[in-house]
Amino acid sequence: MKLSIISEGGAMRGAYSVGVLKALSEHYGLKKIDFAGGSSAGIVNIAFYVTGNIKGMERVWKEDVTTKEFLDFNRYRENKLMMNLDYIMEKCQEKGLSDEAIRKSQTELIIPVTNVNTGKADFYSTKSYQENLIELIKASMDMPFISDKNIEINGNVSIDGGITAPVPFDYETFNDSKKIVIMTKTPRQVGKSRMIDVVSRELAHLFGIMPKALYGALKKKEHIYKDAYKKIIEKAGPELVLVQPTEKLSRLDNTPRNINNTINQGYNDAVNNEALKYVMCVTNAHRPDLFR
């Protein structure tokens, strides 16, 4: 049997997957996986996980994500972007995340980005992509209107994978494997757009500063998410375990209190998830190598 972990992002909601991944490693003892993927903040957490660097992942969120150097709403007043991706990726690397460490992992990591020119998802595997993986991860985290790095991947400007592949659990690489899917929205939040996102998108389109394909992708974003969630619920069972918050999480609150609470919620939800307990028991019986 094979095992995959797929994690949603969601900006500060990504702290939830930190807690879940920490529980998988420290409470259940799951140290290795066959395949993994995620979008936005979820992908950097997964990257830390597959390299066995749980402490580094948690430190980035508790020490660096909570700073104004990373996220400062006041920068908008100076016509600057409020999120500094370069800063946070530098801190990730200082805490041990590297191209070399990711490639040494036995896990095949699938990293989705949104192609600005086509408005569709492009998927890259760490087993075949030969360029800088840190830049690829940064591109997958690059949120329109918030960070806007416009990184080129294979000659195409590529941004937040969460737009077109928010929870890529059905990507072909994950077929025929048991899946642990980490989502960071509650059931009630699924399919709902934040007004500020809608207004920003429409204004950018109105003034002609957004490519047509990207505008179309952003308009379909919540529909794609809702469709993915519906499929996940339909498939939930012994072959697919869903770990999801019951309480609404904040997308942009990076205060230490919120980040700590969100990490703790993810950890506790994973520890108390009955379906996850069962899958961990079965996996340990069939694949003890993943727990060493």
Side-chain angles (χ1 to χ4, degrees):
M1 66 173 282
K2 300 289 186 181
L3 183 66
S4 301
I5 299 177
I6 303 97
S7 177
E8 180 190 1
M12 300 309 109
R13 293 198 305 264
Y16 182 82
S17 68
V18 173
V20 176
L21 294 170
K22 182 180 178 182
L24 286 170
S25 177
E26 298 180 0
H27 178 77
Y28 292 105
L30 183 69
K31 305 300 183 183
K32 303 171 187 173
I33 45 176
D34 299 296
F35 312 108
S39 63
S40 200
I43 197 63
V44 73
N45 292 342
I46 287 286
F48 268 113
Y49 181 83
V50 302
T51 61
N53 191 356
I54 304 300
K55 286 189 168 132
M57 171 182 66
E58 190 171 15
R59 284 186 60 203
V60 165
W61 279 87
K62 290 184 175 182
E63 297 174 12
D64 305 311
V65 169
T66 54
T67 64
K68 285 192 174 183
E69 285 85 353
F70 172 57
L71 182 65
D72 186 355
F73 297 97
N74 291 325
R75 284 201 283 262
Y76 265 146
R77 298 175 184 175
E78 303 170 6
N79 293 321
K80 296 179 181 178
L81 296 165
M82 68 180 184
M83 185 177 287
N84 188 340
L85 273 187
D86 290 333
Y87 168 82
I88 207 64
M89 291 310 295
E90 286 173 8
K91 294 301 179 181
C92 286
Q93 291 175 87
E94 286 177 12
K95 290 172 176 64
L97 186 65
S98 68
D99 192 288
E100 181 182 8
I102 296 169
R103 293 190 191 282
K104 278 185 177 178
S105 165
Q106 74 171 43
T107 305
E108 180 176 1
L109 184 58
I110 302 300
I111 304 172
V113 295
T114 297
N115 186 319
V116 168
N117 298 319
T118 65
K120 296 180 180 179
D122 290 335
F123 294 87
Y124 295 94
S125 166
T126 53
K127 299 304 182 185
S128 58
Y129 186 72
Q130 300 302 313
E131 303 301 321
N132 190 323
L133 290 176
I134 298 299
E135 282 296 289
L136 178 58
I137 290 171
K138 189 191 294 186
S140 187
M141 297 169 64
D142 185 17
M143 300 167 64
F145 318 119
I146 295 178
S147 52
D148 270 344
K149 294 300 298 179
N150 292 323
I151 298 167
E152 284 198 9
I153 304 295
N154 280 358
N156 297 303
V157 174
S158 302
I159 62 172
D160 187 2
I163 296 171
T164 49
V167 199
F169 78 100
D170 54 356
Y171 186 66
E172 58 187 7
T173 298
F174 306 129
N175 291 345
D176 302 319
S177 69
K178 287 186 180 293
K179 303 172 187 66
I180 299 170
V181 177
I182 305 168
M183 299 190 73
T184 62
K185 283 186 177 182
T186 66
R188 293 185 64 180
Q189 288 177 283
V190 173
K192 294 182 179 180
S193 299
R194 296 171 72 249
M195 183 57 65
I196 189 172
D197 294 334
V198 175
V199 171
S200 298
R201 179 192 75 209
E202 294 302 325
L203 284 175
H205 176 63
L206 178 65
F207 290 104
I209 58 176
M210 176 183 289
K212 185 176 180 181
L214 177 57
Y215 173 71
L218 286 169
K219 284 198 73 172
K220 292 186 290 186
K221 178 181 177 181
E222 291 305 324
H223 174 77
I224 292 171
Y225 188 100
K226 190 174 182 180
D227 185 58
Y229 182 68
K230 180 181 178 182
K231 290 177 181 177
I232 289 168
I233 293 300
E234 290 173 351
K235 294 178 181 292
E239 299 301 311
L240 188 155
V241 173
L242 172 62
V243 185
Q244 179 182 29
T246 53
E247 297 179 12
K248 183 179 178 181
L249 304 177
S250 172
R251 183 175 178 235
L252 293 175
D253 182 357
N254 70 324
T255 59
R257 179 179 180 180
N258 180 65
I259 296 300
N260 285 325
N261 288 343
T262 304
I263 291 173
N264 290 338
Q265 185 178 341
Y267 186 94
N268 291 330
D269 285 353
V271 167
N272 295 311
N273 188 303
E274 294 299 327
L276 184 58
K277 291 178 186 177
Y278 172 77
V279 167
M280 288 294 94
C281 183
V282 171
T283 303
N284 201 352
H286 289 84
R287 291 289 307 278
D289 58 298
L290 298 181
F291 294 80
R292 294 196 291 265

